[in-house]
Amino acid sequence: MLGLVLVLIVVLQFEGTSGGELHLYHRAGDDVVLPCRSPSSSYSCSIVNWFYLRDPSTNFPLDVEDGKVVESSPRAARLNVDSNCSLIINNITAEDAGRYTCRPGSGTTVDGSLLLSVLTISPSPPEDDPTKDGDVTLNCSLERYSGLDPCPKNSLLWVDETGTGLTGEGVGFKLGPRRCASSLTVQHQSGTNRTYTCRFVVENSVKVEAHYTAVFKGTSGGELHLYHRAGDDVVLPCRSPSSSYSCSIVNWFYLRDPSTNFPFEVKDGKVVESSPRAARLNVDSNCSLIINNITAEDAGRYTCRPGSGNINDGSLLLGVLTISPSPPEDDPTKDGDVTLNCSLERYSGLDPCPKNSLLWVDETETGLTGEGVGFKLEPRRCASSLTVQHQSGTNRTYTCRFVVENSVKVEAHYTAVFKGTSGGELHLYHRAGDDVVLPCRSSSSSYSCSIVNWFYLRDIITSISLEVKDGKVVESSPRAARLNVDSNCSLIINNITAEDAGLYFCGLGSGILYDDRLFLDVLTISPSPPDADPTKDGDVTLNCSLERYSGFDRCPENSLLWVDETGTGLTGEGVGFKLEPRRCASSLTVQHQSGTNRTYTCRFVVENSVKVEAHYTAVFKGTSGGELHLYHRAGDDVVLPCRSSSSSYSCSIVNWFYLRDPSTNFPFEVKDGKVVESSPRAARLNVDSNCSLIINNITAEDAGRYTCRSGSRNINDGSLLLSVLTISPSPPEDDPTKDGDVTLNCSLERYSGLDPCPKNSLLWVDETGTGLTGEGVGFKLEPRRCASSLTVQHQSGTNRTYTCRFVVENIVKVEAHYTAVFKDFTDWSPLSFIMLTLRITGLILMVGITVGIIRTRGTSGGELHLYHRAGDDVVLPCRSPSSSYSCSIVNWFYLRDPSPNFPLDVEDGKVVESSPRAARLNVDSNCSLIINNITAEDAGRYTCRPGSGNINDGSLLLGVLTISPSPPEDDPTKDGDVTLNCSLERYSGLDPCPKNSLLWVDETGTGLTGEGVGFKLEPRRCASSLTVQHQSGTNRTYTCRFVVEDSVKVDAHYTAVFKGTSGGELHLYHRAGDDVVLPCRSPSSSYSCSIVNWFYLRDPSPNFPLDVEDGKVVESSPRAARLNVDSNCSLIINNITAEDAGRYTCRPGSGNIHDGSLLLGVLTISPSPPEDDPTKDGDVTLNCSLERYSELDPCPENSLLWVDETGTGLTGEGVGFKLEPRRCASSLTVQHQSGTNRTYTCRFVVENSVKVEAHYTAVFKDVPVNNTIIIVIIIIIIIIIILVSVIGVLLLLVVLAAVFVKLRKTRIKEDHRTTAENQGSTHESLDYDDVQNNLTYVTVDHLRHRNDEEIKVKQDEDTVTYSAVRTKKKREADIDPSGLYSYITKSQLTK
């Protein structure tokens, strides 16, 4: 019994590992790979058997025996076994759902099972034609192993092609023994390609989904209209009423005009070879006609007929939509007016399409009407024209839609690709800081880049300068370090400035020097003058300037326009415009107010086309002497700046006052620069070095008026009015996760002396930004707050988000969000109760046997998987169940492979010095093992044990993700294909990671799949490769993600480091721990790496030490173990530290040429001092430092910026900045609280460009729990459950007994009143049924207590049965007492 319980515990507690169940979900028609999950890894596939079970009551048939598919299996043709012993099932159906088990040999080990569920979607019943207009019911069914519990209600959800959920009327749900199903009733209309998707969702995670798109056939004998765009592949279904014929007798006819002949396209099921489009036609197995790459000439009437009959079958009318410039030979890429023609080609026998049935929209979905839009009706087509003004450099998209009764039947898009033409001018517009590619547009295409020259002219009065000669950057150019030439001979300019504006042209050799001209204009935006502080309250002037080639005509007035963050144009007073010889400029004077994150955008517009725009957002501090309104949401950490007009005092004389109501006292919160200890919120208050008051984790109670005063004076200083926004369900104890109506309350708590906030200043929007108004939205005004309520309908499984915004004059001051976290309700059915009891009982038994309990989510006694990228610093918590020991008896063991050797890394709380990685190990005060700068070699199993015991403690399994080019010596910065390798190194005793668990995405988050992506499984690691095409000058980033059940466990990024050019300085920025590649930028390319020397200079001292001599790392270098030289002579520094910052120079041979240098800056982030424990509650100071070559100018103030995990800038109190000779540093003081995963990022920014950033996230550990307490709690819970069950049964018995006694008494009284009813003078004969209906039986057992043996023999002796008869009703005079009689039966035991 004990063994059975233990097995059940394993089955109930674990999933996804060998010996447990793994759920797989697929849609019908998929090809599925079922991995063999048997715990043994030493067998070959030749002994593997695969078993399949559809129902628990059926036999367990073999599908694979001894590694081969069983031929007698009904699906043998669809089965296969791969080299990993996995079972492959092709084209799965609902019948394939069930339980699959892989076992080696003839053993009966309880291996891990795979539960395959199959999702299908179809019309109901199957013979329904969903293509007819009218209601159609779609059935979605998840077929599963029938031994599972029914899937929860609403686990099957419907969405349309836009992702919008479909709920309410028309959606049904059904639970069956082996499947769950949902139905959707929709209204179909012919010609609309609506798609409906059914999703199976578990705990808000989509496990599988299937799609349904109706293929409209119409009905036989009628017409069906189909609309497509030119270039589509079209399937025309055969709609003849006969279904008994084969396709070998089918003919397809085509008619373009009613007056033309009716030619064959298909005869006897074969394409007619003489058809002019025979190469694009085909017939499928359903006799449908397939037309590939349709054109306007394919429009017309199509008819399918079987045999030689002339039946008037249903026809298909194909309409084809085209869009093109007019006439076709126009070049739409030139500046100027362009006319676009949209034409719907149709069968000419139709009525003309209605006017305005062709509509135009732009890329923003804005309708284009009025002047420039024409419409034309012709016999066989309808057409619309749109005249637009094109300008090179703008990627505008225009869409033409054919609309019938407000339904879009088909649409086509047009986007001009602007290249300009050889021999003309091309204008390019960019903002300062961009990287720009200038294409070489010479009319000759036969030259190589080795004869290309690039020229630059800034002014018509200056001379032409040569920037590139014979395909190489001219070293004497003042911007040589920012220039490059790619394989297309394009000129790349990195990080452009206003000084780069001008005229560029590309010439060939010594011949024609003035080919295609490119004009580069650069837009900048800044406060004026540059040293002005735009963050102060008051007027601020912003300058926007477009720097251009000075030979141009001046740009038109008002070609620079201003808009705010809402897109609203800013005009009138405060907007100025200025014209100068080589630039146009505009100024904007605005009134800044602290607390509002206003953004102002300057746009350069030519004839209503935005060519380029730049943005400016101020960081507001406010000024002294007035009231400053600050708005925050509950839970924020708030910094209230001291705005007293005096600036000469120190914080030691500063007092902070707080007033919630005008009628209350004005209490001290801070006195003489120190928090008043008697304040009820003293623990949440602090004062920073700027005398600002910091309030951590604000609540509604913190709202009110705050005033900062220096000394004892009573000057009416500027006050800060803090308002706090909260959102919550009402009442608070409501469970918003249940289905049904939920009321949300939004409240803005304010200083009560203010006027009430205006009605409707609190607005609601949903997760799409759509305003929520009307019924269910309420508003309430109270003396010190304004509130709004919203009643919504919640449904479990939907992640709806509701946002409450406080708005003043159309400006959102603060907003708060509410998203319900939907939990599954507890199922208290008898079966679930039994299972719960079994779990708890088994858990206690396991505790008694193993002297530990199985705890989930990374607690002692189990395995915890940790994933990190190479270079991270990792903290491995000690998870031993005992909490009474000190770290002085703790040992840490490490196992890379499941070998008998289990080496010590830490013994008695100290790092073992003989460990090869002792320098990177440490033990903290919590006995956690710290590994700095991890590598793939650190992956494996780690175990923490106190003393010399051999208890099987919980282990930590560390997986390390690395990403690198392959082979390592490849230079990914060259143009061409590059292969990146991503590898997750793991403990080799684990099962191989699933296929495709390593995924690739680019810098936009787009998944990279298909050709060029490979996957490889090895004993101790899984790896994936990605082949990409690199181009110099593009900072593409590729990310490799390790994903488990749709959850990203760890990711690593790869960005190519592109070389500048020789002869200048190149600045490189990295974070500590990175692996850095420093390219050799010497101008000579003929030497080999064997003569290359690398020099390093940290300070401008006369000593210039060698790190690499004659191509080899100098062994005496203190960092030789971390250095390497690749085949391109680049210097590789692994795991960089702040000490690696400085100037690096690569020189061939012993020369002293002044080559281009590389200046490496290293960014670090850490708590200060390092031994601080950031996981404790309280203030933590983070230090961010950029270590640089000390000869550089100090970095500008505020070039180190802080943001939180939402990207919000962190400024004000708690942020410091420090300049030193060789580094710049910034500090951030934050308030940590356990359980909050806050991330703080430090960014080094140069001219609004983030050069490098580093992140800091505190690792909060669970508080250790005493196991004895847990056991006692579990036992108490079981006792309570048993007591409640017993009491419940007893109460039920008492109630039943009381009811029986009451009924018995009532029956006896009634019998006494009617005892004579069945007696009469005639002694009527009684019918048997009447007797049965009027009899009451009572059986009395007079059995005495005897031993068990006697009871078994004489158990029925002495049993007497009494019966009472209720007779017919008589008059009282007729009652005869003899009518009352009894039967007495004495039972005898039959021998």
Side-chain angles (χ1 to χ4, degrees):
M1 178 62 186
L2 179 59
L4 176 61
V5 170
L6 294 179
V7 170
L8 286 173
I9 289 300
V10 172
V11 172
L12 290 170
Q13 296 294 333
F14 298 102
E15 292 185 3
T17 57
S18 171
E21 290 181 347
L22 175 63
H23 292 261
L24 297 178
Y25 303 93
H26 285 270
R27 64 175 64 89
D30 285 355
D31 295 332
V32 178
V33 179
L34 306 182
C36 186
R37 303 169 61 243
S38 180
S40 173
S41 60
S42 59
Y43 56 81
S44 74
C45 295
S46 62
I47 64 167
V48 164
N49 301 324
W50 273 96
F51 299 86
Y52 167 64
L53 193 62
R54 193 169 187 191
D55 300 291
S57 58
T58 59
N59 293 325
F60 216 142
L62 271 173
D63 274 320
V64 172
E65 187 173 14
D66 294 337
K68 296 182 180 180
V69 174
V70 176
E71 294 184 3
S72 60
S73 171
R75 52 185 181 166
R78 296 187 294 117
L79 302 182
N80 202 356
V81 179
D82 67 11
S83 57
N84 295 317
C85 314
S86 299
L87 177 63
I88 300 172
I89 312 176
N90 294 309
N91 190 24
I92 63 169
T93 67
E95 300 301 309
D96 293 318
R99 178 190 292 274
Y100 292 80
T101 306
C102 171
R103 292 180 185 165
S106 57
T108 57
T109 310
V110 178
D111 303 322
S113 295
L114 297 121
L115 297 170
L116 176 63
S117 300
V118 181
L119 189 70
T120 62
I121 190 172
S122 61
S124 173
E127 62 271 16
D128 269 1
D129 181 4
T131 65
K132 292 181 180 177
D133 284 350
D135 288 345
V136 174
T137 299
L138 303 179
N139 273 350
C140 176
S141 170
L142 184 73
E143 201 78 11
R144 309 188 304 154
Y145 174 60
S146 67
L148 296 174
D149 293 335
C151 48
K153 191 171 182 181
N154 295 326
S155 53
L156 288 177
L157 304 179
W158 292 91
V159 298
D160 63 12
E161 65 277 359
T162 68
T164 304
L166 305 173
T167 59
E169 188 177 355
V171 177
F173 196 85
K174 185 179 181 183
L175 300 178
R178 60 172 295 147
R179 71 190 183 110
C180 49
S182 179
S183 60
L184 174 70
T185 301
V186 294
Q187 216 279 339
H188 268 311
Q189 289 184 332
S190 58
T192 59
N193 291 321
R194 298 299 303 277
T195 297
Y196 301 96
T197 299
C198 176
R199 292 175 172 169
F200 177 64
V201 180
V202 177
E203 295 180 357
N204 295 326
S205 173
V206 177
K207 296 299 184 181
V208 65
E209 64 183 15
H211 314 283
Y212 178 85
T213 302
V215 179
F216 295 103
K217 303 175 185 174
T219 55
S220 69
E223 290 182 347
L224 175 62
H225 292 262
L226 297 178
Y227 303 96
H228 285 270
R229 65 176 62 89
D232 286 353
D233 296 332
V234 177
V235 179
L236 305 181
C238 187
R239 302 167 61 241
S240 179
S242 173
S243 59
S244 60
Y245 55 82
S246 74
C247 295
S248 63
I249 63 167
V250 165
N251 301 321
W252 273 96
F253 301 88
Y254 167 63
L255 195 61
R256 192 170 187 190
D257 298 293
S259 58
T260 58
N261 294 326
F262 217 141
F264 280 108
E265 297 290 331
V266 171
K267 186 172 182 181
D268 297 334
K270 297 183 179 179
V271 174
V272 176
E273 295 184 3
S274 60
S275 170
R277 51 184 180 167
R280 294 189 294 117
L281 302 182
N282 202 356
V283 178
D284 67 12
S285 58
N286 296 316
C287 313
S288 299
L289 177 64
I290 301 172
I291 313 175
N292 293 310
N293 191 24
I294 64 169
T295 68
E297 301 300 309
D298 293 318
R301 178 189 294 274
Y302 292 80
T303 306
C304 172
R305 291 180 185 165
S308 57
N310 196 24
I311 304 171
N312 186 20
D313 302 322
S315 297
L316 296 122
L317 298 169
L318 177 62
V320 180
L321 189 71
T322 61
I323 189 172
S324 61
S326 174
E329 61 272 17
D330 269 1
D331 181 4
T333 64
K334 290 183 179 178
D335 286 349
D337 287 346
V338 174
T339 299
L340 302 179
N341 274 351
C342 177
S343 170
L344 182 72
E345 201 78 12
R346 307 188 305 154
Y347 175 61
S348 67
L350 297 174
D351 293 335
C353 47
K355 189 171 183 180
N356 296 327
S357 53
L358 287 177
L359 303 179
W360 293 90
V361 297
D362 64 11
E363 65 279 357
T364 68
E365 290 293 314
T366 304
L368 305 173
T369 59
E371 188 175 356
V373 177
F375 196 84
K376 186 177 182 183
L377 302 179
E378 298 182 1
R380 58 173 297 151
R381 68 186 183 116
C382 49
S384 179
S385 60
L386 174 70
T387 301
V388 294
Q389 215 280 339
H390 268 310
Q391 288 184 330
S392 56
T394 60
N395 291 322
R396 299 297 303 276
T397 296
Y398 302 96
T399 299
C400 176
R401 291 174 172 168
F402 177 63
V403 180
V404 177
E405 296 180 357
N406 295 323
S407 174
V408 177
K409 297 299 184 181
V410 66
E411 65 184 17
H413 314 282
Y414 178 86
T415 303
V417 180
F418 295 102
K419 303 174 185 173
T421 54
S422 171
E425 292 180 351
L426 176 62
H427 292 261
L428 298 178
Y429 305 93
H430 285 270
R431 65 175 63 90
D434 287 352
D435 295 332
V436 177
V437 179
L438 306 181
C440 186
R441 302 163 60 239
S442 178
S443 54
S444 173
S445 59
S446 59
Y447 57 84
S448 75
C449 295
S450 62
I451 63 169
V452 166
N453 300 321
W454 272 98
F455 300 88
Y456 168 63
L457 187 62
R458 190 170 187 191
D459 300 297
I460 53 175
I461 58 174
T462 59
S463 59
I464 296 176
S465 63
L466 191 62
E467 300 290 326
V468 172
K469 185 175 181 182
D470 296 336
K472 295 182 180 180
V473 175
V474 176
E475 295 181 7
S476 60
S477 169
R479 50 183 180 167
R482 294 188 295 117
L483 302 182
N484 203 355
V485 179
D486 67 12
S487 58
N488 296 315
C489 313
S490 299
L491 177 64
I492 300 171
I493 313 175
N494 293 309
N495 191 23
I496 63 169
T497 68
E499 301 301 307
D500 293 317
L503 169 61
Y504 293 80
F505 50 94
C506 170
L508 306 179
S510 58
I512 301 174
L513 297 178
Y514 202 71
D515 294 333
D516 312 307
R517 295 168 295 281
L518 297 114
F519 292 97
L520 177 61
D521 293 0
V522 180
L523 188 69
T524 61
I525 189 173
S526 61
S528 174
D531 42 319
D533 182 4
T535 64
K536 291 183 179 178
D537 283 350
D539 288 345
V540 174
T541 299
L542 302 179
N543 273 351
C544 176
S545 170
L546 183 74
E547 200 78 12
R548 308 190 305 156
Y549 173 61
S550 67
F552 282 139
D553 294 334
R554 294 177 178 179
C555 48
E557 190 166 342
N558 296 326
S559 53
L560 287 176
L561 303 180
W562 293 90
V563 297
D564 63 12
E565 66 278 355
T566 67
T568 304
L570 305 173
T571 59
E573 188 176 357
V575 177
F577 196 84
K578 186 178 182 183
L579 301 179
E580 299 182 1
R582 57 171 299 148
R583 68 186 185 117
C584 49
S586 178
S587 60
L588 174 70
T589 301
V590 294
Q591 216 281 335
H592 271 311
Q593 290 182 330
S594 56
T596 60
N597 290 322
R598 300 297 303 276
T599 297
Y600 301 95
T601 298
C602 176
R603 292 175 171 169
F604 177 64
V605 180
V606 177
E607 297 180 359
N608 296 323
S609 175
V610 177
K611 295 300 184 181
V612 65
E613 63 185 17
H615 313 282
Y616 177 87
T617 303
V619 180
F620 300 101
K621 301 174 185 173
T623 57
S624 64
E627 288 185 348
L628 175 62
H629 291 261
L630 297 178
Y631 303 94
H632 284 271
R633 63 175 65 89
D636 285 354
D637 295 333
V638 178
V639 179
L640 305 181
C642 186
R643 303 166 64 240
S644 179
S645 54
S646 173
S647 59
S648 59
Y649 56 81
S650 74
C651 295
S652 62
I653 63 168
V654 165
N655 301 321
W656 273 96
F657 301 88
Y658 168 63
L659 194 61
R660 193 170 187 191
D661 300 291
S663 57
T664 59
N665 294 326
F666 216 141
F668 279 108
E669 297 290 332
V670 172
K671 187 171 182 180
D672 296 335
K674 296 183 180 179
V675 175
V676 176
E677 294 184 3
S678 60
S679 170
R681 52 183 178 167
R684 294 189 294 117
L685 302 182
N686 201 357
V687 178
D688 69 9
S689 57
N690 296 317
C691 314
S692 299
L693 176 64
I694 301 173
I695 313 176
N696 294 309
N697 191 25
I698 63 168
T699 68
E701 302 300 308
D702 293 319
R705 178 189 292 272
Y706 292 80
T707 305
C708 172
R709 291 181 184 163
S710 54
S712 57
R713 60 196 184 93
N714 196 25
I715 302 172
N716 186 20
D717 302 320
S719 297
L720 297 121
L721 298 169
L722 176 63
S723 299
V724 181
L725 189 70
T726 61
I727 189 172
S728 61
S730 175
E733 61 272 16
D734 271 0
D735 181 4
T737 65
K738 291 182 179 177
D739 287 350
D741 287 345
V742 175
T743 298
L744 303 180
N745 273 350
C746 177
S747 170
L748 183 73
E749 201 78 12
R750 308 190 302 154
Y751 174 60
S752 66
L754 297 174
D755 293 335
C757 47
K759 190 172 183 181
N760 296 327
S761 53
L762 286 177
L763 303 180
W764 293 90
V765 297
D766 63 12
E767 65 278 358
T768 67
T770 304
L772 304 173
T773 59
E775 188 176 356
V777 177
F779 196 83
K780 187 178 181 183
L781 301 179
E782 299 182 2
R784 59 172 298 146
R785 69 187 185 112
C786 49
S788 178
S789 61
L790 173 71
T791 300
V792 294
Q793 216 278 341
H794 268 310
Q795 289 184 330
S796 58
T798 58
N799 291 323
R800 298 299 304 276
T801 297
Y802 301 95
T803 299
C804 177
R805 291 175 172 170
F806 178 65
V807 180
V808 177
E809 296 180 358
N810 294 324
I811 295 178
V812 178
K813 294 297 185 180
V814 65
E815 64 184 15
H817 313 283
Y818 178 86
T819 303
V821 180
F822 295 102
K823 305 172 189 172
D824 292 334
F825 60 87
T826 306
D827 181 6
W828 289 105
S829 63
L831 178 60
S832 297
F833 184 81
I834 293 172
M835 295 300 288
L836 176 62
T837 305
L838 181 61
R839 280 176 182 259
I840 296 174
T841 305
L843 194 59
I844 294 175
L845 290 174
M846 183 69 78
V847 170
I849 294 171
T850 62
V851 197
I853 60 173
I854 296 179
R855 297 173 62 198
T856 60
R857 296 188 181 179
T859 56
S860 69
E863 289 183 347
L864 175 63
H865 291 261
L866 298 178
Y867 303 95
H868 285 271
R869 65 176 63 90
D872 286 353
D873 296 333
V874 178
V875 179
L876 305 181
C878 187
R879 303 167 60 243
S880 180
S882 173
S883 59
S884 60
Y885 55 81
S886 74
C887 294
S888 63
I889 63 168
V890 164
N891 301 322
W892 273 96
F893 299 87
Y894 167 63
L895 195 62
R896 193 170 185 191
D897 300 292
S899 60
N901 295 326
F902 214 139
L904 272 173
D905 273 320
V906 172
E907 187 173 13
D908 296 335
K910 295 182 180 179
V911 175
V912 176
E913 294 184 3
S914 60
S915 170
R917 50 184 180 166
R920 295 189 293 116
L921 302 182
N922 201 358
V923 179
D924 67 12
S925 58
N926 296 315
C927 314
S928 299
L929 177 63
I930 301 172
I931 312 176
N932 294 309
N933 189 25
I934 63 169
T935 68
E937 301 300 308
D938 295 317
R941 177 189 293 273
Y942 292 80
T943 305
C944 171
R945 291 180 186 163
S948 57
N950 195 27
I951 301 171
N952 186 21
D953 304 322
S955 297
L956 297 120
L957 297 170
L958 177 62
V960 179
L961 189 71
T962 61
I963 189 172
S964 62
S966 174
E969 62 273 12
D970 269 2
D971 181 6
T973 64
K974 291 182 179 179
D975 287 347
D977 288 344
V978 174
T979 298
L980 304 179
N981 272 352
C982 176
S983 170
L984 182 72
E985 200 78 12
R986 307 186 306 154
Y987 173 61
S988 67
L990 297 174
D991 292 336
C993 46
K995 189 170 184 181
N996 295 328
S997 52
L998 287 177
L999 304 180
W1000 293 90
V1001 298
D1002 63 12
E1003 66 278 357
T1004 68
T1006 304
L1008 304 173
T1009 58
E1011 188 176 355
V1013 177
F1015 196 84
K1016 187 178 182 183
L1017 300 179
E1018 299 182 1
R1020 59 172 299 146
R1021 70 187 184 111
C1022 48
S1024 179
S1025 60
L1026 174 70
T1027 301
V1028 295
Q1029 214 278 339
H1030 267 309
Q1031 289 184 333
S1032 58
T1034 58
N1035 290 322
R1036 298 298 305 278
T1037 297
Y1038 302 95
T1039 299
C1040 175
R1041 293 175 172 169
F1042 177 63
V1043 179
V1044 177
E1045 295 180 357
D1046 295 328
S1047 173
V1048 178
K1049 296 300 184 181
V1050 65
D1051 57 16
H1053 314 284
Y1054 178 86
T1055 302
V1057 180
F1058 297 103
K1059 306 173 189 175
T1061 54
S1062 64
E1065 290 183 348
L1066 176 62
H1067 291 262
L1068 297 178
Y1069 303 95
H1070 284 271
R1071 65 175 64 88
D1074 285 354
D1075 295 334
V1076 178
V1077 179
L1078 305 181
C1080 186
R1081 302 168 62 240
S1082 179
S1084 173
S1085 60
S1086 59
Y1087 55 81
S1088 73
C1089 295
S1090 61
I1091 63 168
V1092 164
N1093 300 323
W1094 272 98
F1095 299 87
Y1096 167 64
L1097 195 60
R1098 192 172 186 192
D1099 300 293
S1101 60
N1103 294 327
F1104 214 139
L1106 272 173
D1107 273 321
V1108 172
E1109 187 173 15
D1110 296 334
K1112 296 182 180 179
V1113 175
V1114 176
E1115 294 184 3
S1116 61
S1117 170
R1119 50 185 181 165
R1122 295 188 294 115
L1123 301 182
N1124 202 357
V1125 179
D1126 67 12
S1127 59
N1128 295 314
C1129 315
S1130 298
L1131 176 63
I1132 300 173
I1133 313 176
N1134 293 310
N1135 189 23
I1136 64 168
T1137 67
E1139 301 302 307
D1140 295 318
R1143 177 189 293 274
Y1144 292 81
T1145 305
C1146 171
R1147 290 181 187 164
S1150 57
N1152 195 24
I1153 303 171
H1154 187 244
D1155 304 320
S1157 297
L1158 297 120
L1159 299 169
L1160 176 62
V1162 180
L1163 189 70
T1164 61
I1165 188 172
S1166 62
S1168 174
E1171 63 271 14
D1172 269 0
D1173 181 4
T1175 64
K1176 291 183 180 179
D1177 287 349
D1179 287 345
V1180 175
T1181 299
L1182 303 179
N1183 274 350
C1184 176
S1185 170
L1186 182 73
E1187 200 78 13
R1188 307 187 305 154
Y1189 175 59
S1190 66
E1191 184 68 7
L1192 296 175
D1193 293 335
C1195 47
E1197 189 167 345
N1198 295 326
S1199 53
L1200 287 177
L1201 304 180
W1202 293 89
V1203 297
D1204 62 13
E1205 67 277 356
T1206 68
T1208 304
L1210 304 173
T1211 59
E1213 187 177 357
V1215 177
F1217 195 84
K1218 186 177 181 182
L1219 301 179
E1220 298 182 1
R1222 59 173 302 143
R1223 69 186 185 115
C1224 48
S1226 178
S1227 62
L1228 173 70
T1229 301
V1230 294
Q1231 213 277 342
H1232 268 311
Q1233 290 183 329
S1234 58
T1236 58
N1237 290 322
R1238 299 298 302 276
T1239 297
Y1240 301 95
T1241 299
C1242 176
R1243 291 175 172 170
F1244 177 62
V1245 180
V1246 177
E1247 295 180 359
N1248 295 325
S1249 174
V1250 177
K1251 295 300 183 181
V1252 66
E1253 64 184 14
H1255 313 284
Y1256 178 86
T1257 304
V1259 180
F1260 295 103
K1261 303 174 190 172
D1262 294 334
V1263 179
V1265 181
N1266 190 295
N1267 292 328
T1268 305
I1269 297 175
I1270 294 176
I1271 297 172
V1272 172
I1273 291 173
I1274 293 175
I1275 295 173
I1276 292 173
I1277 291 173
I1278 294 175
I1279 293 173
I1280 292 173
I1281 293 173
I1282 295 173
L1283 288 177
V1284 170
S1285 301
V1286 173
I1287 293 171
V1289 172
L1290 291 176
L1291 288 175
L1292 180 61
L1293 292 175
V1294 170
V1295 171
L1296 291 175
V1299 171
F1300 179 79
V1301 171
K1302 180 66 176 177
L1303 293 174
R1304 177 64 181 152
K1305 290 181 178 179
T1306 302
R1307 179 58 60 84
I1308 292 173
K1309 290 178 181 179
E1310 196 171 322
D1311 288 345
H1312 280 295
R1313 290 196 299 269
T1314 60
T1315 50
E1317 289 184 0
N1318 289 333
Q1319 299 297 322
S1321 56
T1322 59
H1323 299 286
E1324 299 175 28
S1325 168
L1326 295 175
D1327 181 71
Y1328 175 76
D1329 291 337
D1330 292 335
V1331 172
Q1332 295 300 317
N1333 290 333
N1334 292 280
L1335 283 176
T1336 299
Y1337 295 92
V1338 177
T1339 300
V1340 180
D1341 188 355
H1342 296 282
L1343 189 64
R1344 296 186 300 273
H1345 292 287
R1346 301 184 178 95
N1347 59 45
D1348 292 343
E1349 192 172 334
E1350 290 180 353
I1351 291 174
K1352 292 179 182 177
V1353 176
K1354 300 180 180 182
Q1355 57 184 348
D1356 288 333
E1357 292 185 9
D1358 302 326
T1359 299
V1360 180
T1361 302
Y1362 298 90
S1363 66
V1365 180
R1366 180 179 180 182
T1367 63
K1368 294 182 179 179
K1369 187 174 182 181
K1370 301 286 186 179
R1371 296 190 306 274
E1372 188 174 351
D1374 296 332
I1375 296 175
D1376 185 354
S1378 63
L1380 180 64
Y1381 61 92
S1382 300
Y1383 292 99
I1384 301 177
T1385 303
K1386 185 172 183 180
S1387 301
Q1388 299 295 330
L1389 184 66
T1390 303
K1391 297 183 180 179

